[in-house]
């Protein structure tokens, strides 16, 4: 459950960073709205059960790496957070196969939507 909780948080956080760049940095309503809608799909009904497994204080990889601390420009922040969200969606897809193929498929769909949005946004906004 801790894996699921951490990756749900990462997924939503990554999407939110990209969403806010598009919303406030580029004022691109449709891409920002697509991401907001997608972010709201990133949930499971067992929230309180997940919350009870959270142990951020003792996370063994809590400190950031040098690579995580360095970003060259807004595009690098954008790409890093899209990748973060895609990777988290993949972890959720795989772990949820153990309990619910339906939930696993939901996160697979989210991952593929993120791939499509990443391509569209990079080609349109960061060309």
């Amino acid at each position: 459950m801790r894996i699921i909780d951490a990756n749900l948080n990462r997924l939503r956080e990554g999407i939110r960073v990209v969403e806010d760049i598009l919303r406030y940095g580029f004022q691109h309503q449709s891409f920002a709205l697509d991401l907001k809608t997608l972010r709201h799909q990133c949930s499971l009904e067992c929230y309180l059960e997940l919350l009870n497994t959270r142990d951020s204080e003792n996370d063994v990889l809590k400190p950031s790496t040098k690579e995580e601390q360095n970003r060259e420009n807004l595009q690098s922040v954008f790409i890093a957070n899209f990748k973060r969200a895609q990777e988290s969606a993949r972890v959720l897809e795989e772990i949820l196969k153990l309990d619910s193929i339906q939930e696993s498929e939901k996160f697979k769909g989210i991952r593929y939507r993120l791939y499509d949005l990443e391509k569209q946004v990079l080609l349109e906004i960061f060309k």
Side-chain angles (χ1 to χ4, degrees):
M1 293 300 278
R2 213 171 142 209
I3 295 169
I4 294 170
D5 179 57
N7 280 282
L8 272 174
N9 288 335
R10 265 191 220 116
L11 175 58
R12 288 187 296 253
E13 291 163 1
I15 292 172
R16 185 55 182 249
V17 171
V18 172
E19 176 189 332
D20 281 357
I21 290 170
L22 292 167
R23 179 179 179 180
Y24 300 114
F26 293 98
Q27 296 192 24
H28 200 292
Q29 183 180 11
S30 66
F31 282 145
L33 185 58
D34 284 348
L35 285 157
K36 181 179 182 177
T37 301
L38 195 61
R39 182 170 47 83
H40 285 280
Q41 294 172 18
C42 299
S43 64
L44 293 169
E45 290 192 18
C46 56
Y47 179 73
L48 291 178
E49 187 178 347
L50 291 171
L51 194 59
N52 284 326
T53 67
R54 190 173 298 165
D55 188 12
S56 305
E57 182 102 7
N58 295 308
D59 186 339
V60 297
L61 291 179
K62 189 176 181 178
S64 297
T65 64
K66 295 257 188 239
E67 295 81 22
E68 291 170 321
Q69 293 174 336
N70 294 320
R71 297 288 186 251
E72 295 176 20
N73 52 38
L74 196 57
Q75 183 178 353
S76 68
V77 172
F78 183 86
I79 292 170
N81 279 278
F82 248 121
K83 295 303 176 200
R84 178 184 200 197
Q86 293 160 353
E87 292 164 1
S88 295
R90 180 59 181 209
V91 172
L92 290 163
E93 175 189 342
E94 290 298 324
I95 296 297
L96 288 168
K97 286 178 183 176
L98 298 171
D99 290 322
S100 172
I101 295 300
Q102 183 178 357
E103 292 290 356
S104 172
E105 287 295 311
K106 176 175 93 172
F107 287 97
K108 180 179 182 177
I110 289 169
R111 181 168 57 91
Y112 276 93
R113 183 68 185 128
L114 287 167
Y115 291 149
D116 290 341
L117 281 167
E118 178 187 31
K119 179 180 177 181
Q120 290 172 8
V121 173
L122 282 170
L123 293 177
E124 183 174 322
I125 293 183
F126 290 101
K127 41 186 165 182

